[in-house]
Amino acid sequence: MQLTPATPAFEATLRATLPAPVFRPLEPRYLEEPRGKFHGADALVLAPGSVEEVSTIIGRAQGERVAVVPYGGGTGLVCGQVAPDLPRPILLTLERMNGIRALHAADNVIEVEAGAVLAHVQDEAEAAGRLFPLSLASEGTAQIGGLLATNAGGVNVLRYGNARDLCLGIEAVLPDGTVLRGLKRLYKDNTGYDLRHLLCGSEGTLGIITAASLKLSPRPRATGAAVLQVESPKAALSLLEITRQVAAEGVSAFELIHRTGQAFLAEVMPQVRLPFGTLPEWVTLIELGVSAGPPPEELLTEIFEKAAEAGLVSDGVVAQSERQRLAFWEMRESIPVANRLIGAICSHDISVPVSIVPEFIDRAFRLVPDVGPFRINCFGHLGDGNLHFNVYPPKGEARSAYMDRAPEVVRRVHDLVHALGGSFSAEHGVGRLKVGDLEHYGDPGRLAAMRAIKAALDPAGIMNPGAVLTR
Amino acid sequence: MQLTPATPAFEATLRATLPAPVFRPLEPRYLEEPRGKFHGADALVLAPGSVEEVSTIIGRAQGERVAVVPYGGGTGLVCGQVAPDLPRPILLTLERMNGIRALHAADNVIEVEAGAVLAHVQDEAEAAGRLFPLSLASEGTAQIGGLLATNAGGVNVLRYGNARDLCLGIEAVLPDGTVLRGLKRLYKDNTGYDLRHLLCGSEGTLGIITAASLKLSPRPRATGAAVLQVESPKAALSLLEITRQVAAEGVSAFELIHRTGQAFLAEVMPQVRLPFGTLPEWVTLIELGVSAGPPPEELLTEIFEKAAEAGLVSDGVVAQSERQRLAFWEMRESIPVANRLIGAICSHDISVPVSIVPEFIDRAFRLVPDVGPFRINCFGHLGDGNLHFNVYPPKGEARSAYMDRAPEVVRRVHDLVHALGGSFSAEHGVGRLKVGDLEHYGDPGRLAAMRAIKAALDPAGIMNPGAVLTR
């Protein structure tokens, strides 16, 4: 299906219907993405202020076959928000729809607009004595609409689930301009196909999420963290088992960090405090949130001691203050920033069954040297089987000299993941970056069904064309 | 689209391809459903033994436009499994595909076939020291395929979510015979549209689930229960708040039971022990599962005392043994059986936001007498905002004398639920019984999208025609 550009004439018809604040200048930020892999081209930037305005825009776009690229916080890592090669699309930013519509503390539900920034939603929940547990490095910028559209993960998935699991209801505009009014705050509602879950993770290709009702949790009474050195990923997995035995459902996060990640921080972000003077090969960061029984520090000490007795842990620090706990997390959350300062040749956001993580790491660390003399920064959410496996040039050498080998590394890593029953995109999504991977590794039956659904809901193919599925 | 019957000639072509055990006699059980509202007609019963055989059957059915009605444990309450008015359909029962394919204890995942009975899956999980938390009255008969296809709820949703929330991956056959191979055991996998969630809750209208990988949980170290008398639903809600304050995430179930439910048990199931000699107007049944801190009996006693101090609870019993705890649950789970022995005029499976439950009960109890002198049995999952609101003839009078007033009661109750932002089907689904309700109360945008998806995936309209959507 041929798309047409958003011409001045098209813009004029919109201007006749929509108020002036909807029309925004094309700022450079709309054309960039964090990793600099893609760069957007000319676009008509529209910032609607209501679901009705979104509906009007999408309806007109569908009528004229103008592509629509939804834009949230712009923090996506797979280029879902940046379209370099579309005939002048509409770049539809939700930034003006950023309100908290309601907070129902007794129901543990918050209703927010798509443009609300995650940290703001977390703060609103906290002010009501509740927890909105979605948490990730970009939470100060990422917006709820984008987080749901990409089914974001982060550090608390182990305990609270992915973004979709926190979504009770959704308001959205479908590709023909129809408004989907599903902003319920029900814990049970079995009345037909679950379009909420279809839109979550569809990355803007099936419609635009304009608001959501989100599930809140009780705040654990006390939170604590520890960093423990382990000898190997296998030891880390045994430590996870011990952690669960001791803290049961109190385990909120279980992160694994390789030495390279710490070395990168020491190199380019010396202001970030590292827990150990000599950098250990593997560090785990464990967070507990408990509401009954012994305080987290006591549980973490018990975990540390048990793991040390079992020969799994050689050294460790249990945070003795909230400040120290936050310092651990600053270390963890600064790794992606340091990574960008170093500059990766390629990066991977993979998952495998949790029990298979050690095998993946072992094999992946051995295959990379076959392609080149690269540094590997492997870190991530061990408790979810989700690792970020990023590959860098040798120290002191230019990234550009090795970029031609990136496809080979990516292919080999993703082949390995596929062979292990894993996923080439655990939490970042497909975007434009991994469309080829989905074509290659995706189950053919699933792909056919996805294409049928896309064609049924978006016959003109205007919604975020080129993301998730090939155009 | 015209459907054609499964003729002897059609059956002959299947017999030429499929082994003899696939072909089963049409036993009466296939044509009945628990409430006796619908009765099935002649059908070709097929019991495939593998996903490939399911694929063959569905492919042929699609080619000849023969309707397929999937059949699990037969416990569904909305007539999704019983089709009275189709030209001789295939009744496809999953009963031979009932194996446990694998249990990955370290990953907290069990892979089971669709025909596995829920209680069997619970037992397998327990044998591995894990918990499969889905639990409902029909668990000795209901099968995993049907439970997922209807997104079953039950008593532990409060803590562990609905059936869909326990499903990590799915194997299914789509309406054109394509096999969807999505039996992954990953906690994070963001690679395109979530067909798992689309099939969960689609009630067999978009394909047939043949196997699933299911999420297991740690078993709480200790479990305890209490029955507490409350004066009103509002007091029960305050008691829920206290329960959460004391036991935090240890609250596994929070049920509300009206006096009528207890009276029905006394009348038709005197063998079921009731906790109180004089039947209280409202009883709550609270279950805790805790892994740290004080034992559940201590927490329940604390809850009881705090609630009594606050004037919320007038009497109560904390189970002092596992036997007593099970007796509480026998009382709760026997209510649906007693209900059937009494014989309802109509029943409702509704949900509203938790905080609105008292308003719903108050208004619903007041509107019924306007229609007739009926008895009301209201019970259910207060913690989820999900109530079963069933209406019976006056004691000693025949149900048949009042059946003509059922539609009026249903309409008024569902109108009220709709006005309160609730759902006319919280956990049972739409089936054939509530197709009209979905048409009437469903969001038009959502219905249009559902129809588009149905037409895209099942253009011949063979999959469970007449369920969820009108034919």
Side-chain angles (χ1 to χ4, degrees):
Chain A
M1 192 80 69
Q2 197 68 37
L3 293 168
T4 61
T7 59
F10 176 78
E11 185 177 339
T13 65
L14 283 176
R15 280 191 184 268
T17 319
L18 295 166
V22 170
F23 300 85
R24 310 273 305 181
L26 180 63
E27 294 168 24
R29 66 183 168 112
Y30 293 127
L31 305 178
E32 294 157 3
E33 44 85 21
R35 288 188 176 149
K37 287 177 188 283
F38 285 66
H39 199 276
D42 188 27
L44 170 62
V45 181
L46 300 177
S50 68
V51 65
E52 290 74 23
E53 290 177 6
V54 176
S55 171
T56 299
I57 293 165
I58 302 294
R60 293 285 174 86
Q62 141 112 359
E64 303 288 328
R65 293 194 172 141
V66 175
V68 179
V69 179
Y71 191 89
T75 62
L77 295 172
V78 288
C79 311
Q81 74 277 40
V82 173
D85 59 355
L86 293 174
R88 192 171 193 248
I90 293 168
L91 195 152
L92 194 145
T93 168
L94 280 301
E95 64 200 65
R96 289 180 58 228
M97 292 183 66
N98 60 2
I100 308 291
R101 289 200 188 158
L103 194 152
H104 306 278
D107 297 326
N108 282 307
V109 174
I110 189 168
E111 287 177 27
V112 305
E113 291 185 329
V117 169
L118 173 51
H120 179 48
V121 178
Q122 292 168 343
D123 290 347
E124 291 287 319
E126 184 170 359
R130 298 293 189 271
L131 175 73
F132 183 62
L134 189 65
S135 177
L136 32 76
S138 62
E139 62 198 24
T141 313
Q143 297 173 3
I144 292 299
L147 290 159
L148 291 175
T150 60
N151 184 31
V155 297
N156 288 335
V157 173
L158 178 64
R159 180 167 185 164
Y160 298 100
N162 294 286
R164 69 166 71 255
D165 303 307
L166 305 173
C167 178
L168 290 175
I170 224 160
E171 177 193 270
V173 177
L174 297 178
D176 64 352
T178 303
V179 178
L180 192 71
R181 299 192 189 275
L183 215 53
K184 292 189 170 177
R185 55 182 211 269
L186 303 174
Y187 285 86
K188 285 178 169 173
D189 180 21
N190 273 348
T191 54
Y193 307 162
D194 200 319
L195 302 184
R196 163 190 55 144
H197 276 299
L198 190 62
L199 285 165
C200 285
S202 70
E203 305 184 33
T205 64
L206 297 179
I208 293 192
I209 295 168
T210 54
S213 42
L214 303 170
K215 194 165 29 174
L216 302 176
S217 291
R219 295 189 82 77
R221 258 172 233 161
T223 305
V227 283
L228 303 181
Q229 294 187 16
V230 290
E231 192 171 79
S232 65
K234 193 156 172 285
L237 213 56
S238 302
L239 175 61
L240 172 60
E241 187 62 28
I242 288 174
T243 304
R244 281 181 159 145
Q245 276 162 18
V246 172
E249 288 162 300
V251 190
S252 297
F254 196 101
E255 300 283 306
L256 180 69
I257 302 164
H258 186 250
R259 183 195 288 133
T260 307
Q262 305 161 65
F264 282 5
L265 288 171
E267 188 181 334
V268 296
M269 297 179 78
Q271 71 277 21
V272 175
R273 199 184 318 183
L274 296 175
F276 303 104
T278 306
L279 304 185
E281 188 175 359
W282 294 102
V283 166
T284 55
L285 167 53
I286 306 173
E287 174 144 308
L288 306 184
V290 299
S291 294
E297 294 72 25
E298 201 174 302
L299 295 172
L300 288 162
T301 303
E302 185 185 340
I303 291 161
F304 185 4
E305 286 168 1
K306 280 194 174 166
E309 265 170 47
L312 299 168
V313 163
S314 49
D315 198 0
V317 185
V318 174
Q320 297 302 323
S321 66
E322 179 66 4
R323 198 172 143 187
Q324 201 176 4
R325 185 182 77 82
L326 292 175
F328 292 168
W329 279 108
E330 196 200 346
M331 183 260 300
R332 167 62 185 85
E333 299 292 33
S334 297
I335 293 176
V337 187
N339 285 346
R340 271 168 232 163
L341 293 171
I342 300 279
I345 293 169
C346 57
S347 54
H348 310 81
D349 162 41
I350 67 94
S351 64
V352 291
V354 179
S355 60
I356 294 179
V357 166
E359 181 181 351
F360 167 77
I361 290 179
D362 182 52
R363 292 172 66 177
F365 270 72
R366 284 190 286 123
L367 70 79
V368 169
D370 289 347
V371 188
F374 302 130
R375 289 177 294 174
I376 297 168
N377 187 10
C378 176
F379 64 101
H381 320 292
L382 181 64
D384 311 318
N386 172 204
L387 295 173
H388 303 299
F389 186 90
N390 298 358
V391 177
Y392 300 82
K395 196 167 176 179
E397 293 196 42
R399 186 182 165 202
S400 54
Y402 293 96
M403 284 306 291
D404 59 334
R405 299 198 210 169
E408 174 71 6
V409 176
V410 172
R411 192 186 57 76
R412 289 200 189 196
V413 171
H414 285 176
D415 279 356
L416 172 61
V417 167
H418 189 66
L420 295 174
S423 169
F424 63 84
S425 186
E427 60 176 4
H428 294 167
V430 177
R432 288 175 176 78
L433 194 63
K434 297 188 179 177
V435 168
D437 291 291
L438 182 55
E439 290 278 327
H440 184 69
Y441 298 107
D443 173 54
R446 180 157 171 260
L447 278 165
M450 282 173 58
R451 287 199 191 93
I453 292 167
K454 170 73 173 172
L457 294 184
D458 183 18
I462 60 162
M463 288 307 309
N464 212 3
V468 185
L469 294 167
T470 48
R471 277 171 67 190
Chain B
M1 191 82 68
Q2 197 70 35
L3 293 168
T4 61
T7 59
F10 177 78
E11 185 177 340
T13 65
L14 283 176
R15 281 192 184 266
T17 319
L18 296 167
V22 170
F23 300 86
R24 310 273 302 181
L26 180 63
E27 295 168 23
R29 66 183 168 113
Y30 294 126
L31 305 179
E32 295 156 3
E33 44 83 23
R35 287 186 176 152
K37 286 178 188 280
F38 284 66
H39 199 277
D42 188 26
L44 170 62
V45 180
L46 299 176
S50 69
V51 66
E52 289 74 23
E53 290 177 5
V54 176
S55 172
T56 299
I57 294 165
I58 302 295
R60 295 286 174 86
Q62 142 112 359
E64 302 288 327
R65 294 196 172 141
V66 175
V68 179
V69 179
Y71 191 90
T75 62
L77 295 171
V78 288
C79 313
Q81 74 276 39
V82 174
D85 59 355
L86 293 174
R88 194 172 190 248
I90 293 168
L91 195 152
L92 194 145
T93 167
L94 280 302
E95 64 200 66
R96 288 180 60 228
M97 294 184 64
N98 60 2
I100 307 292
R101 289 199 188 158
L103 193 152
H104 306 277
D107 297 326
N108 282 309
V109 174
I110 189 168
E111 286 177 28
V112 304
E113 292 185 328
V117 169
L118 173 52
H120 179 46
V121 177
Q122 293 169 342
D123 290 347
E124 291 288 317
E126 184 171 0
R130 299 293 188 271
L131 176 73
F132 183 62
L134 188 65
S135 177
L136 33 75
S138 63
E139 62 197 21
T141 313
Q143 297 173 3
I144 292 298
L147 290 159
L148 291 174
T150 60
N151 185 33
V155 297
N156 289 335
V157 172
L158 177 63
R159 179 166 184 165
Y160 298 100
N162 294 286
R164 69 166 71 253
D165 302 308
L166 304 172
C167 178
L168 291 174
I170 222 160
E171 178 192 270
V173 177
L174 297 178
D176 64 352
T178 303
V179 178
L180 193 71
R181 299 194 188 276
L183 215 52
K184 293 191 170 175
R185 54 182 210 269
L186 304 173
Y187 284 86
K188 285 178 171 175
D189 180 21
N190 273 348
T191 54
Y193 307 161
D194 200 319
L195 301 185
R196 163 190 55 143
H197 277 300
L198 190 61
L199 285 165
C200 285
S202 69
E203 305 184 35
T205 64
L206 298 177
I208 293 192
I209 295 169
T210 53
S213 42
L214 303 171
K215 194 167 23 173
L216 302 177
S217 290
R219 293 189 82 76
R221 258 172 233 161
T223 306
V227 284
L228 303 181
Q229 294 187 16
V230 290
E231 192 172 80
S232 65
K234 190 155 175 286
L237 214 57
S238 302
L239 176 60
L240 172 61
E241 187 63 29
I242 289 175
T243 303
R244 281 182 159 143
Q245 277 163 17
V246 172
E249 287 162 299
V251 190
S252 297
F254 196 102
E255 302 282 305
L256 181 69
I257 302 164
H258 186 250
R259 183 194 288 132
T260 307
Q262 306 161 64
F264 281 6
L265 288 170
E267 187 180 336
V268 295
M269 297 179 78
Q271 71 277 21
V272 175
R273 200 186 317 183
L274 297 175
F276 302 103
T278 307
L279 304 184
E281 188 175 0
W282 294 101
V283 166
T284 56
L285 166 52
I286 306 173
E287 174 143 307
L288 305 185
V290 300
S291 294
E297 294 72 26
E298 200 174 301
L299 295 173
L300 288 162
T301 304
E302 186 185 339
I303 291 162
F304 184 3
E305 286 169 1
K306 280 195 175 165
E309 265 170 48
L312 299 168
V313 163
S314 48
D315 198 0
V317 185
V318 174
Q320 297 302 321
S321 66
E322 179 65 3
R323 198 172 142 186
Q324 200 177 5
R325 186 182 76 84
L326 293 175
F328 292 168
W329 280 107
E330 196 202 346
M331 181 261 299
R332 167 62 185 85
E333 300 292 32
S334 298
I335 293 175
V337 186
N339 285 345
R340 272 168 232 162
L341 293 172
I342 299 279
I345 293 169
C346 58
S347 55
H348 310 81
D349 162 41
I350 68 94
S351 65
V352 292
V354 179
S355 60
I356 294 179
V357 166
E359 181 181 351
F360 166 77
I361 291 179
D362 182 52
R363 292 172 64 177
F365 270 71
R366 282 190 286 123
L367 70 80
V368 169
D370 288 347
V371 189
F374 302 130
R375 287 177 294 174
I376 297 168
N377 187 10
C378 176
F379 64 102
H381 320 292
L382 180 64
D384 311 318
N386 171 203
L387 296 173
H388 303 301
F389 185 91
N390 299 358
V391 177
Y392 300 82
K395 196 168 178 181
E397 294 196 42
R399 187 181 164 201
S400 53
Y402 293 97
M403 284 307 290
D404 59 334
R405 298 197 211 171
E408 173 73 7
V409 176
V410 172
R411 190 186 59 74
R412 289 201 189 195
V413 171
H414 286 175
D415 279 355
L416 172 61
V417 167
H418 188 66
L420 295 174
S423 169
F424 62 84
S425 185
E427 59 177 5
H428 294 167
V430 177
R432 288 174 175 79
L433 195 62
K434 297 187 179 177
V435 169
D437 291 291
L438 181 56
E439 290 279 327
H440 184 68
Y441 298 108
D443 173 54
R446 179 155 172 261
L447 277 165
M450 282 174 58
R451 287 199 191 93
I453 291 167
K454 170 73 174 173
L457 295 183
D458 184 17
I462 60 163
M463 289 306 309
N464 212 4
V468 184
L469 294 167
T470 48
R471 280 170 68 192

